[in-house]
Amino acid sequence: MTMAPERTAVRVELLIDQRWFAVCELTDLTPGRGVAALLPDGTQVAVFLDRSGRAYAIANRDPFTGAYVLSRGLLGSAGGRPFAASPLLKQRFDLETGRCLDDETVAVQAYATRISDAS
């Protein structure tokens, strides 16, 4: 008999239309990796947890290719700024602002996040 992973009431929430929306439980995230989440309006977001336990979210669509792959990007930092690098063409997107660090004319939406104890 296999046991299901323990679920917690600690959730990652995004600020959408001036309201906090829960996208996943904290236990769904692995530090240093991303996951894709679907918002109620059908928008895909890439949600990341860095190794210090901070959550970030940006749009999941890579503006250079049109593919929904940013959640599979590698996390890093440049000049103290956290980024996710697209797994396709390797452009880096600032996780706090959504700005592309390799082409200042391009950006993706960045979302305010919080980790909330719903219990």
Side-chain angles (χ1 to χ4, degrees):
M1 176 177 183
T2 352
M3 299 293 288
E6 182 179 333
R7 304 302 277 181
T8 66
V10 179
R11 296 193 171 108
V12 176
E13 298 177 337
L14 307 183
L15 186 60
I16 300 171
D17 295 328
Q18 300 178 350
R19 293 181 54 201
W20 289 102
F21 176 76
V23 290
C24 64
E25 292 193 23
L26 186 60
T27 56
D28 294 331
L29 299 175
T30 301
R33 311 270 321 258
V35 298
L38 193 61
L39 300 180
D41 68 357
T43 301
Q44 286 188 32
V45 295
V47 183
F48 300 93
L49 185 68
D50 69 14
R51 296 194 189 284
S52 70
R54 180 161 180 207
Y56 299 93
I58 59 174
N60 195 33
R61 184 177 177 275
D62 181 336
F64 292 95
T65 65
Y68 291 85
V69 296
L70 293 182
S71 61
R72 295 175 162 228
L74 298 174
L75 292 186
S77 66
R81 306 289 305 172
F83 69 78
S86 172
L88 298 178
L89 300 177
K90 310 302 184 235
Q91 284 90 355
R92 300 167 300 154
F93 295 91
D94 185 308
L95 290 174
E96 293 176 338
T97 66
R99 185 177 59 84
C100 180
L101 301 177
D102 303 298
D103 183 339
E104 63 187 35
T105 66
V106 177
V108 295
Q109 180 163 349
Y111 297 85
T113 62
R114 72 178 183 186
I115 296 174
S116 175
D117 185 352
S119 57

